[in-house]
Amino acid sequence: MRSSLFKSGLEKAPHRSLLYALGLTKEEMERPLIGVVNSANEVVPGHIHLNTIAEAVKAGIRMAGGTPMTFPVIGVCDGLAMNHAGMHFSLVSREIIADSIEIMASAHPFDALVCIPNCDKVVPGMLMAMLRLNIPSIIISGGPMLAGTTDDGQCDLIDVFEAVGKFKRGTIDADKLDELEQNACPGCGSCSGMFTANSMNCLSESVGLGLPGNGTIPAVTAKRVRLAKTAGMRVMDLLAKNIRPRDIVTEKSIENAVTMDMALGCSTNTVLHLPAVFAEAGLPLTLDIFDAISRKTPNLCKLSPAGKHYLDDLERAGGIPAVMSELAARGLLHLDVMTATGKTLGENLTDLKARVRNFDVIRAKEPYANEGGIAILRGTLAPDGAVVKQSAVAAAMMRHSGPARVFDDEEAANVAILGGKINPGDVVVIRYEGPQGGPGMREMLSPTSNIMGMGLGESVALITDGRFSGGTRGAAIGHVSPEAADGGPIGLVREGDRIEIDIPGRRLDVCVEPAELEARRATLVHPEKVIESPLLRRYASLVKSAAQGAVYKDPRGR
């Protein structure tokens, strides 16, 4: 056992003394020691209940003959960090989470790991650590929040963000805004739409590192607690069979995950996180792969913000296994890949008798579109690529041409949008918000929600080298690469330049002659940005392009 390195033999007598100090018995020490990575805290609604999940995991480990040992990691709530300086730290936390798990599981060499995340950067950070360490591991999320309810029907956090613009516009009053504030988030769990947290939890299940149900079973249910106990038992089976994360994550299972991404209509942040996760296993995932799979994968689901359904609707409709069964019937999935159940995907679908129970939620008979939820655009404005959630774009905005309204940060754009300075037809350009230039590539749910709330969702596009929340809808194009701070053409755009967007044609262009762009480059002066945080200064110096997952540069210079 790996844990023998710090518990077995004469020379480890001092180590055992410290383990006795934890209250462990000799019998517990002799069993496999399983690290339980718990991201519980009292800040993030998605994490407030994770101690309950952790206790269930530990019970499962003990039932299967192991000894659980819990340790924590940090977690940022993107909703609470949104639209202020705190959002600079959100993406940065992904790398810190992965590094901290590596530290704990290397300094204390556990035999296996169970990772308990729920929200945006915690899920990919834990997946990165699992693949980096490559010891038997399983991921079990805290589950999605239930949708909220008001007199007008179901709602979620995005309705509150968009209500700010509606209130400013005068289409709702203070009482309606207050009603939404109090009811949109009814309790614990990751916010109830197909936002980034739920996207990544569903894809953890799809790639095989989480058990069936990981992405969709609601946080408040006993079924979620039972799944956590099962995860604790299953990790012991993975240990016995020596099935490791890199045995599960292969080129075939990556294709499965991206195919599910497109069918489900996941957050654009998956295009940032999946390459970072799979890079830990030495498996490249480029923007070209995303686009190629998107072109052949039907969009079967439109959950909030793209549609009217929520994660608990998807669970009742059959969950991830139901969607996978429909894609498998179309020959779009590899069924021979290994999963955390210790069985292949094909065996899992057979055992579960996976089928669609609601064809309104999972549009298997009449897909929303013949292409997937995400598209990759390139052109003179984004030579290395840009990302759009095309499943959440109004038909009128799939092709658009308009004058650029240029802002060098999110705050200035918000003032203009809420101040009525943005007109129908405009293309809002927000730059110097990329991984390096931000730094930290802030999510910008406020500008996109304000555009929707101001009634401009079908006439105004937003383009940025930053990124968007999974809750964003509309013609919002992010991850423009290279970013402005790295010399990208988005830094050369001037007020009034014509921007052309062609999502079906996968183009994003600024209609300025190349010679003029080069003349502008010769006189370009980047805006001064004082970065007071030592952590952010270090991050800005190390981070790579969004087109490469915003991972750290190789210390050898690559």
Side-chain angles (χ1 to χ4, degrees), residues 298-302 326 330 356 358-370:
N299 179 209
L300 303 184
C301 301
K302 279 197 175 185
E326 290 298 329
R330 290 169 164 83
V356 176
N358 185 327
F359 286 95
D360 184 38
V361 177
I362 303 173
R363 292 273 290 269
K365 295 179 178 178
E366 296 179 68
Y368 286 102
N370 292 324

Side-chain angles (χ1 to χ4, degrees), residues 282-297:
L283 296 169
L285 178 56
T286 65
L287 297 185
D288 290 333
I289 295 173
F290 276 100
D291 201 57
I293 292 177
S294 178
R295 289 180 184 273
K296 64 181 183 181
T297 305

Side-chain angles (χ1 to χ4, degrees), residues 296-313:
K296 64 181 183 181
T297 305
N299 179 209
L300 303 184
C301 301
K302 279 197 175 185
L303 279 66
S304 176
K308 62 182 180 179
H309 300 123
Y310 300 90
L311 263 292
D312 55 321
D313 295 315

Side-chain angles (χ1 to χ4, degrees), residues 204-547:
S204 298
E205 177 180 341
S206 301
V207 81
L209 292 173
L211 295 175
N214 180 69
T216 57
I217 296 173
V220 295
T221 61
K223 189 176 181 181
R224 172 60 60 177
V225 175
R226 294 197 300 271
L227 186 71
K229 289 180 181 177
T230 303
M233 291 186 283
R234 286 283 71 77
V235 79
M236 296 302 295
D237 183 54
L238 295 175
L239 176 60
K241 295 176 179 176
N242 196 29
I243 298 174
R244 303 176 181 227
R246 294 188 198 176
D247 298 320
I248 293 171
V249 175
T250 63
E251 289 184 0
K252 287 183 178 180
S253 58
I254 288 174
E255 288 185 13
N256 285 351
V258 177
T259 299
M260 284 294 292
D261 188 345
M262 300 306 157
L264 292 168
C266 290
S267 163
T268 53
N269 280 316
T270 62
V271 182
L272 198 66
H273 296 319
L274 291 183
V277 169
F278 299 139
E280 297 287 352
L283 296 169
L285 178 56
T286 65
L287 297 185
D288 290 333
I289 295 173
F290 276 100
D291 201 57
I293 292 177
S294 178
R295 289 180 184 273
K296 64 181 183 181
T297 305
N299 179 209
L300 303 184
C301 301
K302 279 197 175 185
L303 279 66
S304 176
K308 62 182 180 179
H309 300 123
Y310 300 90
L311 263 292
D312 55 321
D313 295 315
L314 180 57
E315 167 65 11
R316 287 189 293 271
I320 298 305
V323 179
M324 297 191 93
S325 69
E326 290 298 329
L327 295 175
R330 290 169 164 83
L332 294 175
L333 294 180
H334 302 284
L335 299 179
D336 58 342
V337 296
M338 181 55 62
T339 72
T341 65
K343 298 180 180 181
T344 66
L345 173 59
E347 290 172 329
N348 288 345
L349 296 180
T350 299
D351 291 348
L352 294 165
K353 299 178 181 178
R355 63 181 179 86
V356 176
R357 294 181 172 85
N358 185 327
F359 286 95
D360 184 38
V361 177
I362 303 173
R363 292 273 290 269
K365 295 179 178 178
E366 296 179 68
Y368 286 102
N370 292 324
E371 290 188 354
I374 290 173
I376 306 300
L377 313 183
R378 283 189 168 86
T380 56
L381 191 55
D384 292 346
V387 182
V388 62
K389 187 172 183 176
Q390 62 176 341
S391 59
V393 178
M397 293 298 292
M398 293 296 281
R399 290 186 174 89
H400 180 75
S401 177
R405 305 297 306 281
V406 182
F407 305 92
D408 285 345
D409 57 52
E410 174 190 359
E411 288 79 5
N414 267 325
V415 170
I417 295 165
L418 292 175
K421 303 295 179 62
I422 302 301
N423 304 309
D426 286 349
V427 177
V428 176
V429 176
I430 305 178
R431 59 196 183 188
Y432 294 101
E433 291 285 5
Q436 176 185 336
M441 202 180 184
R442 291 190 289 177
E443 279 189 351
M444 285 180 275
L445 180 55
S446 291
T448 55
S449 297
N450 290 336
I451 285 171
M452 301 302 296
M454 294 293 285
L456 298 170
E458 295 193 12
S459 61
V460 169
L462 193 155
I463 297 171
T464 181
D465 53 8
R467 62 193 179 96
F468 299 111
S469 161
T472 289
R473 63 190 178 108
I477 301 169
H479 304 207
V480 170
S481 300
E483 60 177 292
D486 198 30
I490 190 171
L492 306 176
V493 176
R494 291 182 179 174
E495 189 83 4
D497 286 349
R498 182 153 296 274
I499 305 292
E500 289 190 350
I501 301 165
D502 181 359
I503 295 174
R506 303 297 201 263
R507 294 291 304 181
L508 180 62
D509 294 290
V510 55
C511 299
V512 176
E513 291 296 322
E516 170 61 18
L517 288 178
E518 288 308 307
R520 294 180 186 180
R521 186 182 300 281
T523 59
L524 177 65
V525 177
H526 296 300
E528 288 190 18
K529 183 173 290 189
V530 178
I531 306 173
E532 295 183 355
S533 164
L535 171 62
L536 293 180
R537 288 199 298 271
R538 183 164 69 248
Y539 182 84
S541 70
L542 293 173
V543 70
K544 295 172 75 170
S545 165

Side-chain angles (χ1 to χ4, degrees), residues 181-197:
E181 282 184 31
Q182 294 191 41
N183 293 284
C185 300
C188 66
S190 47
C191 294
S192 56
M194 191 56 83
F195 315 140
T196 303

Side-chain angles (χ1 to χ4, degrees), residues 103-115:
I103 289 168
M104 287 296 290
S106 299
H108 320 98
F110 302 111
D111 297 301
L113 287 178
V114 180
C115 293

Side-chain angles (χ1 to χ4, degrees), residues 31-48:
R31 296 173 180 174
L33 300 184
I34 312 301
V36 178
V37 192
N38 184 6
S39 58
N41 62 52
E42 295 183 354
V43 179
V44 186
H47 293 230
I48 190 70

